[in-house]
Amino acid sequence: MSKEQGMQLEKENLKRELQDRHIQLIAIGGIIGIGLFLGSASSIKMAGPGLIVSYALGGLIMFCVMRMLGEIGVEYPVSSSFTGYAREFYGPKIAFITGWTYWYMWATIAMCEISGAGIYMKFWWPDISQWMVALVCLIVFTGTNLIAVKLYGEFEFWFALIKVVTIIAMLICGGAIILFGVGNGGVAVGISNLWTHGGFFAKGISGVVMALVMVTFAYSGCEMIGITAGEAANPEVTLKSAINKVFWRILIFYCGSIFVILAIYPWTEIGKIGSPFVLVFKRMGLDGAASVMNGVMLTSALSCLNSGIYTCGRMIYGLGLRKEGPAWMAKLNAGQVPVNGILFTMAVVAIGVVMNYFLPGKVFDIISSVVSTGCLWSWGIIALIHLKWRKSLSPERLVNLKFPLPASPYLNWVVLFYVALVCVGMTMNPGDRLALYVFPIWILILLISYKVFNIEEKTKVISPEAKKMEW
């Protein structure tokens, strides 16, 4: 069987119980998080109104990545997603690095989220132990992920829905202030704040580039839509629908939110007078805005934690099936959920609980600084996989693809250029350089492990569960 006919990937036994509404909200929930709610203030300081351009550019790149993954995923839906595809087109070593790096990225994000949950809870109960909140959240959401994928989908659907409703409410309130002067004595605010405080590009193009680091972190998680392919009830329909709808909704939510905030308040004041989202609600006269938004941000953290445990479990499952990890990682429980992958992830994320005990004031900044490099690696690999995937197909297959990406291979090179541009942006900000130092060490650890545990030889013999499949 040639590459045009099929790829040597795992035969999976995961339940296909995720519906279109689940997948759309899973994708939205994985992307909308602290990068928007908390990271927007620091990004505005960095880029000024030009941040709108940063989010628009990052959103377009995100859409390209999702469409590349979607083109392959619709044809061949597996929960290992691009890590499985990497094995076919770039060999076991790159697949090993990619799989473990994506797991590492989401495990690190999960540590951030349990830390964030502890911080948010202290808003209402200042004396509560941050580490205890982190531990409870980790145990509860590990439990929901172990029961059944459908339960996970329901949790994520409602958590993500809360975030979406909040952002829509903020956009409506902001629009009323801008157009009709609601909360401003009936005087329409307009949008002049976008250019009257040093110009639209007040921080120059360098500010826009530097802000791309936080933008990339904010958009990280869009790859989850490929992970859900292995458990989608009807991948061809649900993936295509979810990818197209999610792009526009995410772009409107992110760019729209930043636009409203910067139109109402001078960008020079953002960060000095409270959370940007709280400011909009306060302008409408909602005195309880701070408490409500804290609740939304707590929900956001729990949503991303839920997504992180889900994704890590599926990554570990795929690694176990392909013998890029111990065989016990590929075990499913009675509900056909990758139980060992989830429990292993829980054990690693528990390191974050320990850090919350010893370093409650610093843990979030320490962990979050190294997340974005994992996202850049994933996006770059997806673009490269898609290039090789296209080259492996005959002209007849190309014209008959169910979900083709327009303008390929040009868009692939645009994504790779973006990855390089964000890396340049990271060198420009001392706070982001730590990630560039840590990531090569992580890769070195993986390369040593690959050699020591003789992964290449092990993956030459495919397990009985991993059979060649025809499309």
Side-chain angles (χ1 to χ4, degrees), residues 270-411:
I270 303 297
K272 298 179 182 178
I273 50 178
S275 164
F277 281 79
V278 173
L279 291 177
V280 175
F281 289 117
K282 277 189 173 181
R283 192 69 170 261
M284 294 288 291
L286 302 176
D287 295 331
S291 183
V292 171
M293 276 306 304
N294 189 73
V296 171
M297 288 187 287
L298 173 60
T299 302
S300 176
L302 297 178
S303 170
C304 289
L305 171 62
N306 200 29
S307 296
I309 295 174
Y310 170 88
T311 304
C312 287
R314 273 63 188 174
M315 284 289 103
I316 293 292
Y317 175 69
L319 289 166
L321 277 184
R322 297 189 306 275
K323 296 189 177 181
E324 291 162 2
W328 53 263
M329 289 182 171
K331 180 181 178 181
L332 299 175
N333 66 8
Q336 292 181 284
V337 172
V339 55
N340 286 345
I342 291 174
L343 291 176
F344 175 76
T345 298
M346 176 187 176
V348 173
V349 176
I351 295 172
V353 176
V354 177
M355 294 180 68
N356 272 276
Y357 180 82
F358 290 104
L359 300 166
K362 300 178 180 180
V363 59
F364 187 85
D365 292 333
I366 293 173
I367 300 174
S368 63
S369 63
V370 299
V371 173
S372 56
T373 48
C375 176
L376 292 174
W377 175 276
S378 299
W379 287 12
I381 284 294
I382 290 170
L384 291 171
I385 288 171
H386 187 262
L387 278 172
K388 277 209 168 186
W389 149 262
R390 280 277 182 138
K391 289 180 180 179
S392 74
L393 301 177
S394 67
E396 182 182 358
R397 283 294 306 282
L398 278 173
V399 298
N400 290 309
L401 289 175
K402 299 173 184 175
F403 194 39
L405 171 72
S408 181
Y410 306 108
L411 289 181

Side-chain angles (χ1 to χ4, degrees), residues 47-120:
L51 181 62
I52 297 173
V53 175
S54 301
Y55 271 109
L57 177 59
L60 290 172
I61 298 300
M62 173 197 69
F63 180 61
C64 291
V65 171
M66 291 172 70
R67 282 298 302 266
M68 291 172 193
L69 200 52
E71 180 177 290
I72 308 176
V74 166
E75 302 283 343
Y76 196 75
V78 290
S79 69
S80 56
S81 190
F82 59 93
T83 60
Y85 306 143
R87 184 179 191 275
E88 175 66 18
F89 292 112
Y90 286 97
K93 183 180 293 185
I94 296 299
F96 178 79
I97 293 173
T98 300
W100 281 106
T101 297
Y102 197 60
W103 170 84
Y104 149 89
M105 184 190 88
W106 271 104
T108 307
I109 290 174
M111 291 184 196
C112 290
E113 303 307 337
I114 61 173
S115 303
I119 293 170
Y120 296 143

Side-chain angles (χ1 to χ4, degrees), residues 131-154:
W131 69 270
M132 188 173 294
V133 175
L135 178 61
V136 171
C137 290
L138 179 58
I139 292 173
V140 169
F141 285 93
T142 298
T144 61
N145 272 269
L146 287 174
I147 297 172
V149 66
K150 190 172 183 178
L151 181 60
Y152 158 77
E154 288 299 328

Side-chain angles (χ1 to χ4, degrees), residues 173-182 187-191 259-261 263-264:
C173 291
I177 296 169
I178 293 170
L179 297 175
F180 308 111
V182 177
V187 179
V189 173
I191 61 173
F259 177 88
V260 166
I261 290 168
I264 296 174

